[in-house]
Amino acid sequence: MLFSLCASPSAHADGTPVITKVVVNKGKYIVVGPTTVTKFSAEITASHPGGVSRASVNLWHGADYDSADGAISYDVPKCTTSGATATCTMNFQVKADTRDMTSVVANAHAGTWHIAAFATGKDRAQTAVYDYATTKVQRASKLTVNASPEPVKKGKKITVTGALTRANWNTHAWAGYSGQSVKLQYRPKNSSTYTTLKSLTTSSTGKLSTTVTATADGYYRYRFAGTSTTPAATAAGDYIDVT
């Protein structure tokens, strides 16, 4: 899912720098798995009549900036200037961890994060926008599918099973995502278009199972639309030969 981080410019009557654009992770949400380090970048553009010496972005989670319960740190910004305008880029990294330290996330941190933006002029004038925009930091998801038996005679029943799992940042493992709506979809062998056959709800362990009638050769898959804490997932189509 793409989103915009280009909020209204932070104009100031007192002659401080103006932040005109912020883009985090190329405009995509940040998805973190159960064990690996997730790396991404951010870019900020600011202008000031006397020039901009530095601009930066950081990400925080919580009710307000001063009492944030999570933060993702970055390396030293690298800036390029053109007259009164500077564009600065910085690299971030985050991983799953329950310890109280910077650049780690626990399950409670999944969802909306705030983006703070800062700029400093060459005359040392400063601008700080603590809630410039928001993004989401999400628990990575996976979806599987298996259709059987194969081959199957036309008119007979096919059982389609699968599982929806997502990263558990507290245990550093994949865990079933319960109570979620998932669509079963089908496309004929010579078609590129999937159609939805029915909607199912995942079990307490994230499992899926249903039956359909075999009509023709084709592919079956499950599709999950995603939630605020977990990205969408689509299983690769499983081919069934109908005889």
Side-chain angles (χ1 to χ4, degrees):
M1 180 181 293
L2 297 179
F3 61 101
S4 173
L5 291 182
C6 299
S8 299
S10 55
H12 299 270
D14 57 356
T16 54
V18 175
I19 299 167
T20 57
K21 185 179 181 181
V22 174
V23 178
V24 173
N25 196 32
K26 298 181 180 179
K28 300 177 182 179
Y29 293 155
I30 300 151
V31 178
V32 181
T35 57
T36 58
V37 173
T38 296
K39 298 180 180 181
F40 62 96
S41 63
E43 183 179 277
I44 177 172
T45 301
S47 61
H48 187 53
V52 175
S53 63
R54 174 188 170 103
S56 63
V57 171
N58 66 33
L59 277 67
W60 59 275
H61 180 273
D64 58 71
Y65 188 82
D66 290 334
S67 60
D69 61 12
I72 302 176
S73 61
Y74 55 87
D75 61 8
V76 176
K78 296 180 180 179
C79 301
T80 59
T81 60
S82 176
T85 300
T87 298
C88 301
T89 60
M90 60 223 71
N91 296 315
F92 295 76
Q93 62 180 32
V94 60
K95 65 178 181 178
D97 203 315
T98 56
R99 292 171 292 176
D100 183 18
M101 52 191 294
T102 302
S103 294
V104 298
V105 285
N107 290 343
H109 293 130
T112 300
W113 279 62
H114 303 269
I115 299 165
F118 307 91
T120 302
K122 292 182 178 179
D123 60 359
R124 298 187 181 181
Q126 296 182 333
T127 294
V129 184
Y130 297 106
D131 200 357
Y132 185 90
T134 60
T135 186
K136 292 189 186 301
V137 180
Q138 298 179 310
R139 296 164 63 175
S141 60
K142 296 193 297 184
L143 189 55
T144 62
V145 66
N146 182 60
S148 63
E150 195 275 328
V152 64
K153 290 187 178 297
K154 184 176 181 178
K156 295 296 185 179
K157 292 292 185 181
I158 300 168
T159 299
V160 186
T161 59
L164 175 64
T165 56
R166 63 174 176 167
N168 186 320
W169 293 339
N170 294 356
T171 63
H172 302 166
W174 292 97
Y177 196 5
S178 64
Q180 300 304 307
S181 178
V182 176
K183 293 180 179 180
L184 174 64
Q185 298 182 324
Y186 167 79
R187 72 173 175 89
K189 178 180 179 180
N190 296 318
S191 171
S192 60
T193 303
Y194 277 92
T195 58
T196 297
L197 301 179
K198 61 176 72 175
S199 294
L200 292 78
T201 301
T202 57
S203 72
S204 60
T205 57
K207 298 292 181 63
L208 294 156
S209 182
T210 191
T211 59
V212 293
T213 301
T215 57
D217 295 352
Y219 299 83
Y220 292 86
R221 73 179 187 185
Y222 282 118
R223 186 176 186 279
F224 170 59
T227 64
S228 63
T229 63
T230 308
T234 302
D238 188 22
Y239 181 75
I240 287 289
D241 179 20
V242 179
T243 60

